[in-house]
Amino acid sequence: METERIALSQRERDRLRVLHEVKQKQITQIEAASRLKVSDRHIRRLLFRLGEQGDRAVIHGLRGRPSNRRLTARFEQKIVERVRQRYADFGPTLAAEHWPRRGCR
């Protein structure tokens, strides 16, 4: 059986360690909830996911996927072109401050 490498942040590693402690009955669900600053109900949900998905349970389900709020590539390119034309010597913050004033939407 091949083992899959999962990149975890420090927070996710800590969360996984606490969940494994609960699973091994070293601490209670309530202790784990207070340690992770979540509800005991959420601990039960995480333990259920841990049983189904393994260590991937602590990773957000949308990691690695594009945002639902992203702009279309065509629209984004149109905005970039307008910013380069009108605000070529501006930095991104200053351009963002001046953009709404011109009524460019």
Side-chain angles (χ1 to χ4, degrees), residues 18-35:
V18 170
L19 290 174
H20 280 296
E21 288 177 13
V22 172
K23 202 171 180 184
Q24 295 169 356
K25 301 197 185 292
Q26 294 174 351
I27 63 173
T28 65
Q29 291 178 3
I30 294 173
E31 288 175 53
S34 66
R35 210 188 279 185

Side-chain angles (χ1 to χ4, degrees), residues 8-22:
L8 297 174
S9 68
Q10 183 62 46
R11 182 176 182 210
E12 291 165 340
R13 283 192 296 269
D14 293 341
R15 187 173 266 212
L16 188 59
R17 185 175 7 91
V18 170
L19 290 174
H20 280 296
E21 288 177 13
V22 172

Side-chain angles (χ1 to χ4, degrees), residues 17-101:
R17 185 175 7 91
V18 170
L19 290 174
H20 280 296
E21 288 177 13
V22 172
K23 202 171 180 184
Q24 295 169 356
K25 301 197 185 292
Q26 294 174 351
I27 63 173
T28 65
Q29 291 178 3
I30 294 173
E31 288 175 53
S34 66
R35 210 188 279 185
L36 296 178
K37 296 183 174 106
V38 295
S39 68
D40 57 325
R41 172 71 182 104
H42 190 58
I43 293 293
R44 286 191 291 278
R45 280 195 298 266
L46 287 171
L47 288 170
F48 180 75
R49 278 181 36 195
L50 187 65
E52 285 188 332
Q53 301 174 4
D55 291 349
R56 287 190 154 280
V58 295
I59 297 175
H60 194 279
L62 296 178
R63 181 188 283 183
R65 296 174 129 187
S67 170
N68 291 336
R69 296 175 53 89
R70 73 186 177 280
L71 302 174
T72 62
R74 188 173 171 191
F75 183 65
E76 186 177 354
Q77 186 61 36
K78 191 175 177 181
I79 291 172
V80 169
E81 287 174 14
R82 283 190 183 176
V83 168
R84 284 186 182 148
Q85 287 173 354
R86 293 186 180 147
Y87 309 111
D89 56 340
F90 285 27
T93 304
L94 190 57
E97 289 173 359
H98 283 263
W99 181 264
R101 292 185 196 159

